[in-house]
Amino acid sequence: MNAFQKLGLDDNLLQAIADLGFETPSEVQENSIPILLEQETDLVALAQTGTGKTAAFGFPMLQKINIDSRTTQGLILSPTRELCLQIANELKLYGKYYKGLNVTAIYGGASITEQAREVKRGAQIIVATPGRMKDMISRRLVDISKIEYAVLDEADEMLNMGFYDDITDILSHTPENKCTWLFSATMPKEVAVIAKKFMDNPIEITVGNKNESTSQVSHEYYLVNARDRYQALKRLADANPDIFSVIFCRTKRDTQKVAENLIEDGYSAGALHGDLSQNQRDLVMKSFRNQQIQMLVATDVAARGIDVDDITHVINYQLPDEPEVYTHRSGRTGRAGKTGISMVIVSKSELRKIKTIERVIKKEFVKKEIPDGMEICEVQLMSLANKIHNTEVNHEIDDYLSSINELFEDTSKDELIKKFFSVEFTRFYNYYQKAKNLNIEAQHSSEKDSSSSANSTRYFINVGKKDGFDWMKLKDFLKEVLELGRDDVFKVDVKDSFSFFNTESELTPKVLEFFTDFKHNGRFVNVEISEDKGRGTSRSKRRRGASSRRSGDSKPRGDRRSGNRSERRSESRSKRSGDSSNSNRKERRSNIEKKSTEASFSRPRRSRRK
Ligand code: ADP
Ligand code: MG
């Protein structure tokens, strides 16, 4: 008898569970399924996101409703359209062996008549957002007067979103004697009020601690200028000598680029994205599993299958568009009972995304500072000292000891230690002694808009209305060819034969490089940084002018067209390396870095971690 059988589930469900590959019930499933199967009771269950709540109410509901009837018997309210669809899909999977089962999702932003038609076909279960549900009730497009089970899923979130009145209204159309099952990650006062008002002596189940995540992952963010992203990444790596991490970028191109830069800078890194062959990906994954690669740079899609247990850090080099994706990313660490850290390198204009993610993961981020140079030197020094302390002596060197001893005859122990550690320390010290502070201050929200425009670049592009573009089409076009995210292209302004648009300044090199020899409908598309000061009168336009000049400095327009593509590329790479604007120092430093990192970073890492 398997663990699901023991809960009392019938064969149809057990078969579907086997197909899905679920082996053991989660805690919330184990606790709630037997109760819900055996009793007609109200229930309040508190469990974190990702603990399998859908099945906890879905299995019992599927087993208890009458599939031969076409009456709506189960209603599930959930806060968002995405969750609605997700729950409906999960229920369809769980119930795939129940012939004649109809699960219908009802949510805003899609055709109400189509949804009504689906309900009419005989939906035994409706999964709905409160807003659309209320709407459909008032238009008499659904009948929930005979439901036996009502589920309030993510109740805390629904209340956060202001659905209290809608929920009250919806439930007033349901029978008194139905069972109500409330699922929530947290139990704020408002949820307790709802439980009291709509439920009758509910059984309470709590998985993990109330109002506290059971997960082992802590979340940190580091606020830096967008152009310092890569430097920040290196410092985070240097400050964590035993790091074993996945670094997430948004596009394949950025993934490749960051990995290449890290390798060039002497880190044990590798790239994982969809443009690599299966064979290449297998090799990278093998090295990563063996911990020969410390930093795996990956796209979200490519990282989907990563099931490595010992990952110490997840670094969000760029944040994903969808906050839910962040959950998947951070879930790569803190597995198998270990603790993990999920770090986000964030620029000012993305700060609001942190707030959104906090709402989704129901945990707060800690704002941290990128360590300064001396901190890193100290960490590296102590890490080396510990490594030496823990090293087992290899007696193969005994034969050579007499000559070594001879060499150090006049050196005191104290002196010897200092010399020994200086070998490693000096490398970091030279690199970091004049490193600048990468941290920036968050501004008050009233200033946020201007800061984001100060960090953005305005471009001129020689296509416009007569090429068939309107602002939306041009935005889509740019997003597609440049592989950018949803919010990356903005202030698109289409004129007759030319247009303007903005991106964050961080993306400027990428945009300019891409359009050096790009043809659209047989014509070269020319993109330049706009000096468009005359256009428009607002203050922000002027500020934009200033920022274009700055971007112009870092990538002079004259240079752009000279030389072939690979020359330009290597030029931009050499520009990228180094931490400071002083080119002499930069050169010297990158030499030191390259030589010494080869000697140290890329040597095989033996007993890397305890
Ligand atoms: P929650 O609603 O608590 O956030 P979900 O019900 O969405 O969690 O489940 C999260 C994921 O876990 C889903 O992909 C689901 O298919 C999977 N899952 C649920 N129960 C189990 C189980 N017993 N074993 C393995 N995976 C499960
Ligand atoms: Mg859920």
Side-chain angles (χ1 to χ4, degrees), residues 4 20-26 28-29 47-55 57 86 90 94 153-154:
F4 283 103
L20 283 163
F22 295 180
E23 282 169 1
T24 45
S26 68
V28 68
Q29 292 165 1
Q48 282 304 304
T49 307
T51 50
K53 293 193 287 293
T54 314
F57 61 75
Q86 204 176 305
E90 287 269 314
Y94 302 159
D153 191 31
E154 310 260 354

Side-chain angles (χ1 to χ4, degrees), residues 366-559:
V366 180
K367 181 180 186 302
K368 296 270 235 170
E369 302 270 296
I370 298 280
D372 68 26
M374 280 322 288
E375 275 174 69
I376 289 174
C377 291
E378 192 184 320
V379 168
Q380 288 285 344
L381 189 62
M382 288 321 293
S383 155
L384 178 64
N386 277 318
K387 245 176 235 167
I388 291 170
H389 185 77
N390 296 333
T391 293
E392 245 175 72
V393 172
N394 181 337
H395 289 286
E396 291 298 312
I397 60 174
D398 290 357
D399 289 350
Y400 310 97
L401 273 183
S402 57
S403 12
I404 294 175
N405 275 329
E406 215 170 289
L407 191 60
F408 291 107
E409 210 169 26
D410 298 327
T411 318
S412 70
K413 177 185 169 192
D414 213 35
E415 185 81 3
L416 184 63
I417 288 179
K418 281 183 193 163
K419 274 178 187 269
F420 187 86
F421 280 99
S422 297
V423 175
E424 183 92 349
F425 183 74
T426 307
R427 178 168 68 86
F428 279 95
Y429 182 74
N430 285 346
Y431 182 82
Y432 277 121
Q433 59 174 331
K434 288 191 181 125
K436 64 173 182 172
N437 179 3
L438 296 181
N439 299 294
I440 54 172
E441 286 309 311
Q443 282 165 350
H444 299 298
S445 52
S446 60
E447 292 168 54
K448 229 182 234 162
D449 282 345
S450 66
S451 87
S452 79
S453 82
N455 271 328
S456 82
T457 302
R458 187 140 178 91
Y459 306 85
F460 164 92
I461 182 166
N462 66 337
V463 295
K465 284 185 192 142
K466 68 180 175 47
D467 304 286
F469 287 106
D470 58 21
W471 72 269
M472 231 173 334
K473 284 187 184 139
L474 183 61
K475 185 170 173 161
D476 286 344
F477 166 77
L478 291 166
K479 268 176 3 195
E480 190 181 321
V481 299
L482 292 164
E483 294 181 11
L484 296 178
R486 198 162 56 183
D487 304 326
D488 287 340
V489 178
F490 47 97
K491 294 191 178 150
V492 180
D493 192 1
V494 177
K495 310 284 180 198
D496 270 345
S497 56
F498 57 86
S499 311
F500 295 98
F501 65 95
N502 282 33
T503 71
E504 266 194 57
S505 301
E506 177 191 20
L507 295 169
T508 305
K510 176 174 176 170
V511 174
L512 294 181
E513 176 167 330
F514 181 82
F515 283 107
T516 43
D517 52 8
F518 180 80
K519 271 189 181 174
H520 177 63
N521 291 342
R523 193 152 73 84
F524 275 107
V525 177
N526 181 26
V527 170
E528 290 175 25
I529 290 172
S530 163
E531 303 285 349
D532 144 55
K533 272 168 282 178
R535 246 162 239 291
T537 50
S538 71
R539 255 171 0 118
S540 70
K541 283 263 164 87
R542 239 181 290 132
R543 206 176 279 122
R544 239 184 265 139
S547 84
S548 346
R549 243 176 286 126
R550 198 168 46 232
S551 317
D553 281 350
S554 68
K555 183 101 188 180
R557 277 209 280 161
D559 282 9

Side-chain angles (χ1 to χ4, degrees), residues 44-46 154-161 182-196 210-212 362:
V44 172
L46 298 183
E154 310 260 354
D156 49 355
E157 205 54 13
M158 287 201 285
L159 295 175
N160 270 344
M161 293 169 71
L182 182 150
F183 286 78
S184 187
T186 60
M187 189 70 174
K189 262 204 249 73
E190 297 80 358
V191 175
V193 167
I194 270 226
K196 201 154 180 208
K210 269 189 198 177
N211 292 348
E212 191 186 292
K362 306 194 173 90

